[in-house]
Amino acid sequence: MNSRVIKAELSPGFLQTNSVGGLPLIDSACHTDLAHAADNPATLFPIPLAAFEQYMLMDDNPNFPITFFIQFRLKGRLNLPALDEAINEAVCRHPLLGCRVERRGGRYWWVWSPEVVSRAELNPDVWRAAKPWMQPINLAIETGIRAWGDVTDTEAEITLQFHHACCDGIGASQFLEDIAVYYARLTTVDGPLPELRPLRPEALLTRADPGPRRVGRLRGSLPRRLARMLRDSIDFLFLERKEVLKAMPGDDSGEEAEEFNLQSEYLDRAATRRLRNVASRTNVTLNDILTRDLMKTLDEWNSESGGARRGKLICVLIPCSLRGPADDQLPAANVLGYAFPVRKRRDMLDSAVLLTNLGEEMSEFLKAQHGWLFVQGLQIAQRIPFLMSLSASILRYRCMSTAVLSHMGNRLNSISSRLKTVGDTIHVGNMTLAEIRCVPPLRYGTHAAVATYIFGGRLMINLRCDPATFGVRQTQQFLDRYVARLRRSAEEG
């Protein structure tokens, strides 16, 4: 993309000198607008961090920030003041993204702090030098959202960076939807204006309660459930040894060290339909096929790169939403559990058997909502002084999975459903939406993060590899192998 910035439309105070993480802070005028929005979120705060949020805060690693990304590309001439206002209004609708974290009386609290919300940095020279994707978001002095991008006369590419303590991928997609709707309302010249989805900010007060959640309910007594939690936690975190994805010899990472390195590919509508039909006929989910093929790709890659280790396991971390029907109007938050399917190499020799076994395992996992057990374990740790911080410090430099796979299903289609769409063209006010990409965080020892979703009938596959280990060329090679395996799965079906 041509990196020439449209300076004529920059709103006042955009390139001010005070900054956090290399990006400028919102100026006082924006602060006033944000803090005095129609639905003032300040009345909700302070509120204590939930156990999972506190774990995400403490798990932050200077070299592996617990942040994830959504990137969108628009065609047309961007109205920068309208983008500023759209982000401001979206923060008010999703107030955890407008908060800092303070420690008071031994507990961590969300504190409404719109004055430190980072402003969108649209000067490529600034953000390329700052490399915000390599910088942790310090929630003590800034809020959990950053934005940067590249704007020309004909298109704009904007990247949103989220701290995982503030929200998950579903919450981030809601935030992006609100930005798009607000921007469209501000820049649409004629025709009906898109409507915002109803939200209840007060639902944040019960975001960690088991009542509205999909909670794992194991049969038996409380001691039995606690023993199950303890056994699973010890097995996964301390006993099972995860294999680390290794770059091929002669990698090009040194040439492009610390680049953002997000690559993407897709299956066309026909291949996507065939793959979904395969899942239906074999009585598994699309997510099961995605997991099976990622495991096979990891196995193949490490066998060639020299990363295969005797006695170690291929593990894919799968975020699982714990939202229930009552969460339809919940603002952006982190309501997740984790699944950690692991396999020995000999268990992956037969692809059909591997798929069946993964399908059965994930079906049982979702049926009992075992992802809630991970959250319950953190809630117990939060109640015991120093246990949460001790656990986080022990685990911060342990490999928890070979790769991460986050499948968002049709979630991002909610954006197009609220905007004017003509054929395949999605109108965002005076612009059109060309592309959306997203990717989960890269944790220590986890060198590949994959995000998949259905958008416009196509399966989109995004990959980001550890920029200190993998260069752009090898990241693309790994993605090509994964996508080729998915295409074979669609054809074999």
Side-chain angles (χ1 to χ4, degrees), residues 21 60-63 65 67 132 134-138 142 146 161 163:
D60 231 342
N61 184 310
N63 297 318
T67 61
M134 298 293 296
Q135 309 300 326
I137 293 178
N138 184 352
E142 59 183 314
R146 288 178 183 159
Q161 179 181 8
H163 196 296

Side-chain angles (χ1 to χ4, degrees), residues 189-325:
V189 177
D190 53 19
L193 298 179
E195 296 294 329
L196 293 157
R197 71 168 63 231
L199 293 178
R200 295 187 305 109
E202 65 274 13
L204 290 171
L205 300 176
T206 58
R207 68 198 181 283
D209 294 353
R213 305 285 96 74
R214 291 174 176 156
V215 181
R217 303 189 187 280
L218 297 177
R219 297 176 184 176
S221 63
L222 177 61
R224 180 181 179 275
R225 295 196 300 272
L226 292 176
R228 168 66 183 270
M229 258 188 286
L230 183 62
R231 186 192 71 210
D232 288 353
S233 298
I234 291 176
D235 283 351
F236 176 76
L237 298 175
F238 299 104
L239 299 184
E240 294 180 348
R241 297 183 298 167
K242 315 306 184 306
E243 193 164 283
V244 175
L245 186 67
K246 182 180 178 181
M248 295 287 182
D251 183 28
D252 59 348
S253 58
E255 300 172 12
E256 297 166 316
E258 300 185 349
E259 290 300 309
F260 185 40
N261 199 8
L262 172 60
Q263 306 300 318
S264 60
E265 189 54 87
Y266 67 89
L267 300 189
D268 61 26
R269 289 182 176 90
T272 300
R273 187 164 52 250
R274 289 195 297 270
L275 198 62
R276 299 177 88 168
N277 288 340
V278 170
S280 178
R281 287 198 301 271
T282 52
N283 199 31
V284 298
T285 67
L286 177 58
N287 189 61
D288 296 330
I289 296 178
L290 294 168
T291 305
R292 188 272 307 270
D293 286 1
L294 181 56
M295 281 186 158
K296 296 285 287 185
T297 306
L298 292 166
D299 177 21
E300 175 189 76
W301 182 277
N302 258 9
S303 296
E304 292 184 25
S305 69
R309 293 291 183 269
R310 183 180 178 87
K312 291 200 173 184
L313 307 172
I314 298 291
C315 174
V316 175
L317 184 152
I318 301 176
C320 301
S321 176
L322 298 176
R323 286 170 170 79

Side-chain angles (χ1 to χ4, degrees), residues 70 90 93-94 97 162 167-181 196-199 323 327-333 408 411-412 414-415:
I70 291 185
R93 294 249 299 167
H94 303 277
L97 293 170
F162 300 86
C167 72
D168 53 26
I170 292 176
S173 70
Q174 293 174 325
F175 183 75
L176 177 59
E177 176 186 309
D178 278 2
I179 292 175
V181 171
L196 293 157
R197 71 168 63 231
L199 293 178
R323 286 170 170 79
D327 291 316
D328 285 347
Q329 297 183 13
L330 176 72
M408 297 182 65
R411 172 64 58 174
L412 289 172
S414 66
I415 297 173

Side-chain angles (χ1 to χ4, degrees), residues 24-58:
L25 299 177
I26 269 181
D27 60 23
S28 58
C30 290
H31 170 209
T32 300
D33 293 340
L34 190 58
H36 295 88
D39 297 323
N40 190 348
T43 57
L44 286 174
F45 298 97
I47 57 177
L49 268 69
F52 193 80
E53 295 165 351
Q54 185 175 335
Y55 175 73
M56 290 289 99
L57 176 71
M58 292 181 168

Side-chain angles (χ1 to χ4, degrees), residues 13 16 116 156 158 171 189 241 260 284 305 316 344 366 368 380 385 415 447-448 468 470 479 483:
Q16 55 194 49
V116 296
I158 309 295
V189 177
R241 297 183 298 167
F260 185 40
V284 298
S305 69
V316 175
K344 298 176 182 177
L366 295 173
I380 293 172
I415 297 173
H447 291 165
F470 282 75
L479 179 61
V483 173

